[in-house]
Amino acid sequence: MPLVNMRDMLQHAYANGYAVGGFDLVSLDFIEAIMAAAEAKQSPVILSLAESHFEYYDFRLAMQAAELAAQRASVPVAIHLDHGASFESAVTAINAGCNGVMVDASQESFNGNVALTQKVVNMAHQCGVPVEGELGYVAGVEGDDAEKHPGDVVYTSVEEAKTYVAQTQVDFLAVSIGTVHGRMQGEPVLDFDRLKQINDALNIPLVIHGGTGLSDDQFKQLIANGVAKINYYTALADAAGAQMCANVKANARAGYTGIVAGIQDAIRNEVERCMDLWGSSGKADAVLSVSEKWMPVHHVIIYNVDIDDDAQVRRMMSEGETVLGKIPGVRRIVTGNAVQENAKYQFTWLVEFVHENVIASYRDHTDHVAFANNLFRPVAGDRISIDYRQNHF
Ligand code: 13P
């Protein structure tokens, strides 16, 4: 089960002078191609789902596929929410299985950015999930011509970065030093002095957004100055697009499978090139040996009720499914009745937590405390509760 803690993965990259790709996916073809590249190169990899792309695919469906791909992999994988815009986005992503989240409040005022990031970090860390923040502003839109959405690049200030990281406790920082999202015309000019100063001041893994269009030498200098994660999308989308155009040109009557033929190879070749260039190729075993495995915990309760009112018991269970299912770190909640009429315990709750940390944060969460004290415990005096670590996926 090679889903691993993304903090351990990126700490290893940071300490060993290479960068892991955070490759944004928009379809099954991307997932398969990225994972095939990671296996071929024995590289750690981050499957990244950008909130701005959720209009192109069903996030929950894609999460199931990403998670299954990670579970089947032999290389270490993390699943990351890219550019999450709100606290609610972060909770939804964690409960759906992301084990890394980005909170992007970089267009807010400094204080607004700090406030939202602190709130997300506090919640995510209680779920064992590391957080990437962004300070400064990387303009442009993934998958489009950067020039069409210039905005103003706002460079990350070294002083603000120190305060931001100290106040928010983010695990990784996305910095703005001259890259833009999307297709570039010409070579971007990067401020490496600024990057070096930020790295010296912070000593945490740094992240570069807008990886498309940078030169080999620029990538090397970024990594030499603390960049341990590189976000990459447009070049993959363009490689797939070029293949589809070529397919149509070769056969104007091509159907769906004819049009998309070969795009996985096109994406995979580009991902493999990046893995070699960024130095993550061949690091899979080393990362696995230092990383916490990302395994859920099952909170199991079996109980009997002291009342005869079946409708009240059903209402209590259904209220619990709704309220408790929204608590950060709860992946799944199932209520059940015993199959055997003479079973020693007649009812059950099965609550799946994303990580062991959630045992404590769930127990103390106000919604859980209110539900347990007002609706559950008064009728379920006879009960057994145990948390089980899952051994295998
Ligand atoms: P590119 O699309 O420029 O590669 O940037 C991707 C990115 O930064 C995703 O967050």
Side-chain angles (χ1 to χ4, degrees), residues 53-385:
H53 287 160
F54 291 0
E55 62 185 295
Y56 303 129
Y57 59 86
D58 180 323
F59 171 66
R60 293 250 166 205
L61 269 182
M63 279 301 301
Q64 297 270 313
E67 216 173 4
L68 184 57
Q71 287 161 13
R72 291 195 313 204
S74 73
V75 296
V77 185
I79 304 178
H80 184 66
L81 172 70
D82 191 19
H83 293 290
S86 63
F87 177 78
E88 292 71 27
S89 316
V91 174
T92 303
I94 289 171
N95 289 7
C98 285
N99 66 345
V101 290
M102 175 187 190
V103 51
D104 182 358
S106 59
Q107 292 188 67
E108 303 262 337
S109 65
F110 180 77
N111 288 342
N113 188 351
V114 168
L116 177 58
T117 307
Q118 271 174 339
K119 195 172 165 198
V120 170
V121 169
N122 191 25
M123 175 279 296
H125 282 183
Q126 289 184 359
C127 300
V129 172
V131 177
E132 172 186 334
E134 176 167 329
L135 192 61
Y137 176 59
V138 178
V141 173
E142 292 91 344
D144 210 337
D145 292 333
E147 289 77 6
K148 277 170 48 187
H149 308 271
D152 279 330
V153 175
V154 179
Y155 286 80
T156 306
S157 124
V158 183
E159 281 312 309
E160 279 191 352
K162 276 199 258 184
T163 313
Y164 176 83
V165 171
Q167 290 185 353
T168 61
Q169 295 295 303
V170 285
D171 303 271
F172 328 116
L173 182 67
V175 291
S176 175
I177 57 149
T179 58
V180 292
H181 296 107
R183 278 183 223 114
M184 292 286 300
Q185 258 177 25
E187 205 178 272
V189 180
L190 305 187
D191 188 344
F192 289 112
D193 282 346
R194 184 184 295 265
L195 180 65
K196 182 176 182 331
Q197 287 174 41
I198 296 170
N199 187 34
D200 290 345
L202 300 185
N203 215 15
I204 62 169
L206 302 178
V207 180
I208 280 293
H209 284 249
T212 296
L214 303 183
S215 69
D216 292 6
D217 185 59
Q218 285 176 322
F219 279 127
K220 292 209 162 107
Q221 287 196 63
L222 290 171
I223 294 164
N225 287 294
V227 169
K229 172 173 177 270
I230 296 172
N231 282 26
Y232 208 71
Y233 168 70
T234 303
L236 307 183
D238 284 353
Q243 179 65 42
M244 286 192 268
C245 290
N247 290 341
V248 173
K249 209 167 163 201
N251 176 8
R253 298 191 64 238
Y256 177 80
T257 51
I259 292 173
V260 299
I263 69 170
Q264 285 192 24
D265 285 343
I267 297 169
R268 175 181 164 170
N269 289 340
E270 181 58 11
V271 173
E272 290 190 8
R273 187 185 76 82
C274 292
M275 288 170 166
D276 285 342
L277 183 61
W278 302 342
S280 66
S281 292
K283 301 291 194 307
D285 284 350
V287 171
L288 280 175
S289 70
V290 297
S291 299
E292 177 194 35
K293 305 284 172 290
W294 192 259
M295 282 291 184
V297 164
H298 292 119
H299 177 64
V300 180
I301 305 176
I302 50 173
Y303 63 101
N304 286 319
V305 294
D306 317 325
I307 51 171
D308 275 337
D309 185 345
D310 282 354
Q312 187 186 337
V313 176
R314 275 200 303 278
R315 272 198 307 277
M316 181 268 290
M317 292 199 277
S318 125
E319 170 80 2
E321 284 181 3
T322 309
V323 173
L324 306 178
K326 293 190 186 125
I327 292 178
V330 173
R331 291 217 57 183
R332 211 164 61 96
I333 180 152
V334 179
T335 56
N337 295 51
V339 175
Q340 290 82 11
E341 269 179 24
N342 61 350
K344 194 159 173 209
Y345 288 96
Q346 283 298 314
F347 302 99
T348 185
W349 293 98
L350 297 169
V351 189
E352 186 175 323
F353 296 150
V354 299
H355 186 271
E356 280 185 35
N357 281 14
V358 184
I359 295 171
S361 56
Y362 173 86
R363 186 194 55 221
D364 300 337
H365 194 282
T366 47
D367 290 346
H368 172 253
V369 173
F371 174 80
N373 288 345
N374 299 333
L375 292 178
F376 180 59
R377 289 177 186 142
V379 299
D382 179 15
R383 63 180 187 271
I384 297 174
S385 314

